[in-house]
Amino acid sequence: MKLSELVGYLNLLDSDELAPDYHAAVRRFQEIAHVVTNHAVQIDEYGSAFTEAIDDIAREFQHAKTALDNLKFNTKEKIATLETSYYQESQRLYEQEMCYETPVYIINRKLNISVEDKILLQARLLQYTDWRLPGLMLRPGREKFIEDLVPMDPLYLVDQHKKLLAPALKSFNIKYRRRLRPYVIDDYEHLDPLCQLPSTQFGLIFAYNYLNYKPMKVMKNYLNSMFDKLRPGGVALFTLNDCDYGHGVALTEQGFMCYTPGHAVRSHCIEIGFEILSTHRGQGNVSWMEIRRPGEIESLRGGQSLAKIVAHQ
């Protein structure tokens, strides 16, 4: 049995479709029993018999709930026994295949994002953009999200090859382009992939369609580095291949994305000190997470030159 099938089965067991409200059912029966046993009209022993039957129902409901909980627990254990090989295969895929992907292939690789999710993601970004704070975008590519980040000053654009940065740089006029801070990084060799960038400086770090292709070990390196680069109160917002869902695991089985279960990512974020602000599971293959370095965000800036920044069409 494939891991994606097991995880999909667990998703089904956890869904609202298979989540009976035992307490509501028992409570309703008890309300009926209260009316029957306290009514002025009593027919022989049928009232007390009805009450005893409801007690039996409550016990059987508890047995059913316990059986369902045991089924979920055992499914999770089977998932745990299989996922070790998925972690290993993702690491191998990253080291032996993904490292040879061409800039052209990478730049044309898109996430399947719905209009509703895109609008929501843009709204989340606008919560954190501030001209008084530096911002950082990993793999800007041809994504229009960069236009939502232009208030950040300065705006750092980061990727693993200068050809991957070129489309984003060319989308702006030369004058504004001089204000951008492009950086080429190497996460195949460095434990701190953002080591070239200043520490405790950024108000927002945004990674779209980037960490989806990093195995768990490398994902942790990026999260550690983000914590160091963010100033207190700063936020990181990133998409990931959330393998807490069967669809995410299927993408891993197809060799398209890496195996990164959302619960494992959240656990590491909390371990290194991040606060989890929110997680979102969208349509298609879009999931993202918002995390914050604890503290109050501050800036010493008192003003900024005003100008309208327009991307080339």
Side-chain angles (χ1 to χ4, degrees):
M1 182 180 295
K2 291 183 178 180
L3 182 57
S4 58
E5 295 173 338
L6 268 177
V7 173
Y9 181 55
L10 181 61
N11 295 156
L12 177 62
L13 294 178
D14 285 334
S15 69
D16 291 339
E17 296 177 26
L18 297 184
D21 193 339
Y22 301 103
H23 298 295
V26 171
R27 186 166 56 250
R28 180 57 182 149
F29 275 119
Q30 289 174 338
E31 290 171 355
I32 297 171
H34 179 76
V35 172
V36 170
T37 57
N38 289 280
H39 199 277
V41 176
Q42 294 294 316
I43 308 299
D44 299 328
E45 301 297 325
Y46 290 110
S48 59
F50 181 73
T51 302
E52 292 175 4
I54 290 176
D55 291 338
D56 291 339
I57 290 173
R59 284 191 292 270
E60 291 304 318
F61 275 174
Q62 184 58 48
H63 292 158
K65 182 178 182 303
T66 300
L68 183 58
D69 289 343
N70 288 338
L71 177 57
K72 292 179 182 179
F73 177 80
N74 282 278
T75 303
K76 290 176 182 178
E77 286 203 323
K78 288 185 180 296
I79 290 172
T81 61
L82 291 177
E83 67 178 1
T84 299
S85 63
Y86 279 68
Y87 282 126
Q88 294 171 345
E89 173 58 20
S90 287
Q91 189 68 32
R92 186 206 64 77
L93 181 69
Y94 164 79
E95 294 176 351
Q96 299 180 18
E97 297 184 31
M98 288 182 170
C99 61
Y100 297 113
E101 292 172 342
T102 66
V104 173
Y105 172 77
I106 293 172
I107 209 72
N108 289 310
R109 183 169 56 194
K110 300 292 184 181
L111 276 183
N112 179 19
I113 184 169
S114 68
V115 174
E116 294 80 5
D117 285 331
K118 187 173 183 179
I119 292 173
L120 177 60
L121 182 52
Q122 289 176 313
R124 298 309 303 161
L125 288 174
L126 292 174
Q127 293 284 323
Y128 308 120
T129 53
D130 190 330
W131 61 265
R132 295 170 297 178
L133 304 170
L136 186 160
M137 184 172 182
L138 284 156
R139 185 151 294 163
R142 296 193 180 97
E143 300 296 340
K144 293 296 183 179
F145 293 111
I146 192 174
E147 297 176 16
D148 300 308
L149 301 182
V150 292
M152 311 296 289
D153 187 17
L155 178 59
Y156 289 71
L157 304 180
V158 177
D159 214 319
Q160 294 177 264
H161 196 288
K162 62 181 181 181
K163 290 184 179 179
L164 294 171
L165 293 171
L169 294 171
K170 291 178 181 178
S171 67
F172 294 101
N173 61 50
I174 294 177
K175 186 174 182 179
Y176 179 68
R177 208 179 300 168
R178 296 194 186 103
R179 295 176 56 188
L180 295 170
R181 304 289 187 269
Y183 276 81
V184 175
I185 61 172
D186 179 6
D187 61 24
Y188 291 103
E189 298 293 336
H190 300 128
L191 292 178
D192 181 358
L194 305 179
C195 59
Q196 303 175 56
L197 304 175
S199 298
T200 62
Q201 291 298 309
F202 296 97
L204 173 65
I205 296 176
F206 178 50
Y208 181 80
N209 200 23
Y210 184 74
L211 295 180
N212 303 62
Y213 310 96
K214 306 298 179 184
M216 198 66 205
K217 179 180 177 182
V218 179
M219 169 85 81
K220 289 180 178 180
N221 289 342
Y222 272 99
L223 292 171
N224 295 343
S225 190
M226 287 178 182
F227 189 89
D228 176 67
K229 303 309 172 187
L230 287 168
R231 61 181 62 194
V235 169
L237 193 161
F238 57 93
T239 61
L240 72 158
N241 183 34
D242 192 346
C243 294
D244 281 347
Y245 298 91
H247 179 72
V249 183
L251 291 172
T252 297
E253 291 169 346
Q254 297 161 13
F256 188 57
M257 293 185 184
C258 289
Y259 185 74
T260 50
H263 71 272
V265 176
R266 289 191 295 274
S267 177
H268 185 72
C269 288
I270 294 171
E271 180 181 336
I272 61 180
F274 275 117
E275 299 171 350
I276 309 294
L277 297 180
S278 68
T279 58
H280 178 77
R281 166 66 178 168
Q283 301 178 38
N285 51 14
V286 173
S287 295
W288 69 75
M289 192 175 298
E290 298 173 42
I291 55 179
R292 177 171 58 200
R293 179 171 175 170
E296 294 294 327
I297 199 156
E298 296 179 353
S299 173
L300 298 177
R301 291 186 184 178
Q304 182 190 41
S305 299
L306 298 178
K308 184 177 182 180
I309 302 165
V310 181
H312 289 311
Q313 301 298 321

